[in-house]
Every structure is written in C-alpha cells, then in structure tokens.
C-alpha cells in the first residue's frame, strides 16, 4: 500500500509568478476551422538503419483518439473520486467563473473550487491532475466533498502548481492571456502561424498531449482567437510551454518541427535566447536522403540518437537541432556521423579510452542471431535500453581480405560496440550475452559461480538450476521483468 504517482519534490529558485488572467470572452473549449488535424498529414519517415536511404517510410503522429483535450470542454469527462469523496454532481447551464479563495497553510496551499473546476482539473482518468503535479514538482490532492484542492510541497513548487492550476481553470471559460513582461523562468512562448494551429493541436488535442507526456510539460494556446482570425492583426498564435528548461526546449523543437512540416520555411534560423555556457544548441543541415536515414522508421533512429547521447535531438525541416551540454552535443554529433559512415561500410571506433562505450565479443556464428532479420533484434535492444549499437570493423579487417580471414580463424568473434549511459549499456550488454548464450551455451557462463560485487554500482551473479531458471524467468519473461522493475 502506498501513494501512486507521487512526484519527486526538488527545490528550485523562487521566482516571481506569471501573471495569468482569463479573457472576458466566454466560450467553452477552443474551435478553429483547422482544429482537427487532417489524419493524412504525416511527417517524413525513413527506412531502418540497414535499409537503402532512397526508400521512404511514412512517419505519422501517434494520436490517442480516446483522450480528450485537457484544455477543451471538461464536460462529459469521467470524474475520479478520492478516499474522502462522495457522489459529486455536475452543474448544468453556463459554466461559473473558475477558481476560488486560496489559503496558505503550513506546508500546504488550499484552493476552493467548483464542481466544474474539479472535473476540468482532474481530466480524463485524472491525467490533468497528474500532469500538473509532475510539471510543478508538488503533490496535488482534490477533495470533491469539500470542493477543495490541496497543494503540498516546497514553497516554490506550491507556487508553480497554484499558477498552473489557475491557468487550467481559466481555460474553462475562455482563453488565457499571459503578461510576458512578468513571466517566470519556467515559461517558453512559441509563435505558431494560424494555418498550423490545428496541425500542432492535433485531433482532440492529442498531439499537444503527446508532447506534454513525452517531455513532462504543460502546454496551451494563450489568447486564442478562433476561426474569425486574429483580433489585433497578428498572423500567429501564442503557445505557452511551462516546465523545466530542458523539457521546454524539447517540446519547443517538437512544435517547430510540426510547424515546419505544415508551413515550409517558417521555422528556419531559430535562435534560443536562454542558451548559455552550460546549455546550448548546435545545428547541422542535412540532405533529403540523409534526413530520411537519420530520422529512421517512425523516428526510431532519432530517438536512439537522443537517448544514447542524452542530448535533445530534433529535426526541423532539413536541419537537425542538438540541445544540451557541450559534452552531450558532441556525442550526438559524433553518433550521427557514425550512422552516415555505416552507409559506406563498417566503422571502426577507438573505444579503449571512451567512457561511453562497451564492447562485446560476439561469436561469428551468432552474429546473425544477435542482429536479427533486417536488424530487428538489435533495434529492439536499442529501443529498450536507449543505446546505439553496431558491429565494428577491426583493425585487421581494414587491412584486406587475407587479414580478415586470418582474424576470423584466429578469434572467431566480431566486436559489437554499445554506446550510451552506463546503465543502458549494461542492460544491452546483458541482453546480447543472453542471446549469445541461447545460441552458443557456455560461451559466457562456463566455470562461472556465485559472485557478489562490493562496489556502489556493479554486477552480482547467481548460478541457477534449470527448474529455478524456469521459475525465475516466468512466462514470456514476465517474472524477470517484474524483478527488474521492483
């Protein structure tokens, strides 16, 4: 028994609050003639790493059609109940003004809310409340019987959560206006052209919700003017992104990539004023065939590059943006260059002094089994552990065919390089060892006994009998995965 989904509370600098006010125009939800993105609008895709670059695979946006837009009309949503809740009834007719009195208690902020506010803050299956807690770093509890919302955590986290809750409640009765002159350092405003607003929003807001889920941000359009166009002559709409800087940057680039897909040439030569010596941006222009290959099937190669380098990697048009520390950006650029080099043949990397590399000696008769058809097995391991993997060319292999045959006869192994964070590399390494052991029993486990590592981070090993192994593995590996998660 315990509390599920309790966000980690980390201290942050206390900064002035963003000034949020509800516009006077009352309406429920946001409607635009382009608000429903055309399902046929898809982004460029690419073949898997071992496919020819010229062949394109379509990359689409993942849309959860049964999820409602958290910023749209909250009516019709199923409301969750807390332990203290009784049956709550909704109110009909025009929605009342959002929000109520807020009281600051010891280590807690209490806000009085209406029934409609409660439904809007909860969202479908409580997802909006969970999102607000995750982005702010505070714990949020909603009690429908007393119609109160309790926010717990450090003062700065409570202030952020209160601000985000007020913004969400304001969306129920109209657009939210943001005074950028008084914004905190947790806000990024992206200007989106009118013709791309519906595409960025997605069907029922699913594209924005997917970005929020991926990057842990809170996003909504401010001062949205509807189908009659802008009231002040502006050709763009403001998209507000709240959250930590790294998360905001990832969401920002994701939005720019979508805008560039719909309005070519709009998101070019983008600069980021908040870049500094610790966190910056590097770009590289790609040809069409290079972009197709670097993107990968359904964006798999891009995700692999980002996870293994621990850098934000996104393609805006034909430009790849890499955001992070100098070390992260350097890794991302190097991994990208290695991917292109593999198109011309095997790649050799001087790995001995690299802290981001693990090399596994794989017997030649199991290389195909480890790789899988059309590189499917390696691709699954990369996706699971967030690493970059490829078989390297050895020094002897580079010297010619005779040296290559001699190397095979002498060693009989191929070097599989694994790049990425330490934990991901170890998980991928063990996955490869397991595959090799299945095909070639005893290769890694001969004369291996029980071993316990006394380091802070290390590897323990326990020999098992056949019956113990079967039980500890479970059906389709379920027990092993359960042990790993626990």
């Amino acid at each position: 028994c315990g509390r599920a989904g309790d966000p980690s509370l980390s201290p942050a600098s206390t900064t002035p609050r963003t000034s949020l006010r509800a516009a006077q125009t009352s309406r429920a939800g946001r409607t635009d003639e382009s608000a429903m993105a055309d399902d046929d609008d898809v982004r460029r895709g690419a073949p898997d790493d071992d496919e020819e670059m010229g062949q394109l695979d379509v990359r689409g946006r993942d849309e959860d059609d049964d999820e409602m837009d958290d910023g749209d009309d909250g009516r019709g949503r199923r409301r969750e109940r807390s332990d203290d809740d009784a049956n709550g009834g909704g109110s009909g007719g025009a929605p009342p003004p959002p929000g109520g009195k807020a009281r600051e208690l010891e280590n807690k902020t209490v806000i009085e809310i209406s029934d409609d506010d409660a439904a809007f803050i909860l969202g479908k299956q409580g997802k909006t409340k969970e999102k607000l807690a995750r982005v702010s770093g505070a714990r949020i509890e909603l009690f429908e019987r007393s119609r109160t919302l309790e926010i717990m955590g450090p003062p700065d986290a409570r202030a952020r959560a209160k601000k985000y809750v007020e913004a969400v409640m304001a969306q129920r009765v109209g657009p939210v206006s943001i005074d950028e002159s008084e914004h905190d350092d947790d806000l990024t405003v992206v200007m989106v052209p009118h013709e791309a607003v519906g595409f960025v929003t997605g069907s029922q807001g699913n594209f924005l919700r997917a970005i929020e889920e991926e990057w842990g941000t809170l996003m909504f359009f401010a001062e949205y003017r509807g189908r009659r166009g802008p009231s002040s002559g502006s050709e763009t709409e403001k998209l507000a992104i709240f959250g930590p800087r790294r998360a905001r940057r990832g969401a920002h680039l994701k939005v720019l990539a979508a805008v560039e897909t719909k309005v070519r040439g709009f998101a070019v030569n983008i600069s980021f004023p908040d870049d500094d010596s610790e966190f910056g941006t590097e770009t590289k222009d790609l040809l069409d065939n290079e972009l197709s290959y670097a993107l990968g099937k359904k964006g798999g190669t891009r995700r692999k590059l980002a996870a293994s380098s621990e850098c934000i990697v996104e393609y805006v048009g034909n430009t790849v943006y890499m955001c992070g520390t100098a070390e992260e950006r350097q890794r991302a650029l190097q991994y990208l260059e290695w991917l292109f080099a593999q198109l011309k043949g095997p790649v050799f990397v001087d790995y001995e002094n690299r802290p981001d590399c693990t090399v596994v000696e794989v017997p030649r008769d199991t290389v195909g089994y480890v790789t899988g058809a059309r590189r499917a097995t390696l691709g699954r391991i990369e996706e699971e552990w967030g690493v970059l993997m490829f078989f390297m060319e050895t020094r002897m292999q580079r010297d010619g065919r005779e040296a290559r045959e001699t190397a095979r006869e002498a060693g009989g192994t191929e070097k599989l390089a694994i790049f990425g964070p330490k934990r991901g590399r170890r998980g991928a390494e063990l996955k490869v060892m397991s595959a090799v052991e299945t095909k070639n029993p005893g290769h890694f486990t001969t004369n291996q006994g029980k071993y316990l590592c006394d380091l802070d981070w290390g590897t323990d090993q326990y020999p098992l009998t056949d019956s113990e192994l079967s039980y500890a593995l479970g059906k389709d590996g379920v027990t092993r995965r359960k042990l790993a998660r626990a």
Side-chain angles (χ1 to χ4, degrees):
C1 299
R3 204 164 48 242
D6 188 16
S8 58
L9 303 179
S10 57
S13 60
T14 303
T15 52
R17 291 176 47 208
T18 300
S19 175
L20 299 168
R21 60 181 176 82
Q24 299 301 319
T25 304
S26 176
R27 60 181 175 80
R30 298 192 301 263
T31 305
D32 189 79
E33 60 185 356
S34 60
M36 296 301 176
D38 189 350
D39 292 336
D40 293 331
D41 285 329
V42 295
R43 298 190 54 196
R44 264 190 309 250
D48 221 342
D49 292 347
D50 57 348
E51 296 184 8
E52 292 295 328
M53 291 193 303
Q55 181 181 357
L56 297 181
D57 289 295
V58 174
R59 177 192 180 195
R61 296 192 310 216
D62 295 328
E63 295 185 351
D64 183 6
D65 290 331
D66 61 355
E67 179 178 341
M68 294 182 64
D69 183 359
D70 293 329
D72 287 341
D73 193 351
R75 290 171 293 183
R77 291 176 175 167
R78 183 176 64 82
R79 296 166 57 185
E80 291 191 346
R81 299 160 56 93
S82 65
D83 294 336
D84 300 329
D85 291 341
N87 292 329
S91 59
K101 296 181 180 180
R103 305 191 306 274
E104 293 292 337
L105 305 177
E106 184 178 2
N107 297 325
K108 181 167 61 175
T109 300
V110 180
I111 304 176
E112 298 177 3
I113 59 176
S114 66
D115 286 341
D116 294 292
D117 288 332
F120 214 70
I121 292 171
L122 275 175
K124 185 177 181 181
Q125 298 179 348
K127 289 184 179 180
T128 303
K129 181 172 75 71
E130 293 175 2
K131 175 176 62 181
L132 293 171
R134 181 177 64 248
V135 177
S136 65
R139 177 186 167 195
I140 300 177
E141 296 291 344
L142 193 153
F143 301 96
E144 289 190 74
R145 173 179 292 179
S146 59
R147 296 181 181 177
T148 57
L149 187 74
E150 294 188 359
I151 304 173
M152 291 152 281
D156 56 331
R158 297 204 310 270
R160 288 194 300 268
K162 182 174 179 292
K163 177 175 63 180
Y164 300 160
V165 167
E166 290 172 348
V168 169
M169 290 191 300
Q171 292 179 71
R172 183 173 62 80
V173 295
V176 180
S177 179
I178 298 178
D179 186 355
E180 296 183 54
S181 63
E182 300 178 1
H183 70 76
D184 293 343
D185 60 357
D186 63 344
L187 169 66
T188 296
V189 176
V190 184
M191 306 307 295
V192 179
H194 287 301
E195 55 266 41
V197 168
F199 188 70
V200 170
T201 304
S203 177
Q204 298 185 351
N206 286 328
F207 187 56
L208 278 186
R209 301 292 81 80
I211 299 176
E212 289 179 330
E213 186 71 22
E214 178 181 357
W215 288 105
T217 57
L218 172 66
M219 305 171 64
F220 56 85
F221 279 95
E223 301 177 341
Y224 192 90
R225 302 181 185 88
R227 66 175 59 191
R228 292 186 178 180
S231 57
S232 62
S234 174
E235 297 180 353
T236 59
E237 299 288 352
K238 291 181 180 180
L239 176 63
I241 306 176
F242 290 95
R245 177 167 69 168
R246 189 180 188 91
R248 297 199 316 271
R249 180 62 58 81
H252 187 176
L253 288 173
K254 202 80 171 179
V255 170
L256 290 179
V259 170
E260 186 65 18
T261 301
K262 194 70 173 178
V263 185
R264 297 291 295 179
F266 180 85
V268 294
N269 300 323
I270 300 297
S271 61
F272 303 96
D274 58 342
D275 279 353
D276 52 35
S277 58
E278 296 180 358
F279 187 93
T281 303
E282 290 189 20
T283 61
K284 180 180 176 64
D285 293 329
L286 304 177
L287 302 175
D288 288 341
N289 58 346
E290 290 177 332
L291 175 63
S292 176
Y293 185 72
L295 184 61
K297 186 177 181 180
K298 297 182 179 179
T301 303
R302 183 197 63 79
R303 292 193 299 269
K304 177 173 63 179
L305 285 172
S308 58
S309 64
E310 299 180 278
C311 180
I312 300 172
V313 179
E314 188 63 63
Y315 305 119
V316 181
N318 280 43
T319 303
V320 53
Y321 283 77
M322 294 164 282
C323 302
T325 64
E327 185 179 355
E328 292 168 350
R329 300 196 305 269
Q330 182 182 7
R331 285 199 300 264
L333 183 59
Q334 197 167 45
Y335 294 172
L336 183 63
E337 291 173 348
W338 289 342
L339 282 178
F340 292 145
Q342 290 180 64
L343 295 172
K344 302 176 182 178
V347 177
F348 173 76
V349 177
D350 188 3
Y351 59 87
E352 293 183 357
N353 296 321
R354 292 189 64 101
D356 62 338
C357 180
T358 296
V359 174
V360 183
E361 297 284 352
V362 179
R364 291 196 65 253
D365 57 351
T366 61
V367 168
Y369 183 74
V370 171
T371 304
R374 301 178 66 83
R375 207 179 177 277
T377 304
L378 277 186
R380 284 195 296 268
I381 299 176
E382 289 174 330
E383 186 77 17
E384 177 181 359
W385 289 103
V387 295
L388 171 68
M389 305 169 64
F390 56 84
F391 281 96
M392 288 195 301
E393 179 186 42
T394 65
R395 294 185 186 277
M396 287 184 291
Q397 286 176 319
R398 299 177 70 186
D399 293 336
R401 186 167 186 174
E402 293 183 3
R404 191 157 54 241
E405 293 299 329
T406 303
R408 291 173 178 172
E409 294 173 2
T413 61
E414 299 285 352
K415 295 184 184 296
L416 176 62
I418 306 174
F419 296 91
K422 182 178 181 180
R423 189 179 189 88
R425 296 199 316 271
R426 182 59 55 84
E429 178 185 9
L430 291 173
K431 205 79 173 179
V432 171
M433 292 171 62
S434 176
V436 170
E437 196 70 16
T438 300
K439 196 72 174 178
N440 195 347
H443 182 80
F444 289 113
T445 58
T446 301
N447 299 325
Q448 295 290 320
K450 182 178 180 180
Y451 173 75
L452 301 179
C453 180
D454 57 359
L455 300 177
D456 290 339
W457 202 99
T459 302
D460 299 339
Q461 59 187 41
Y462 295 85
L464 302 176
T465 64
D466 290 342
S467 58
E468 290 174 334
L469 174 62
S470 176
Y471 185 72
L473 184 62
K475 184 178 180 181
D476 298 327
V478 171
T479 307
R480 180 196 65 78
R481 292 193 294 272
K482 177 174 65 178
L483 287 171
R485 286 195 303 269

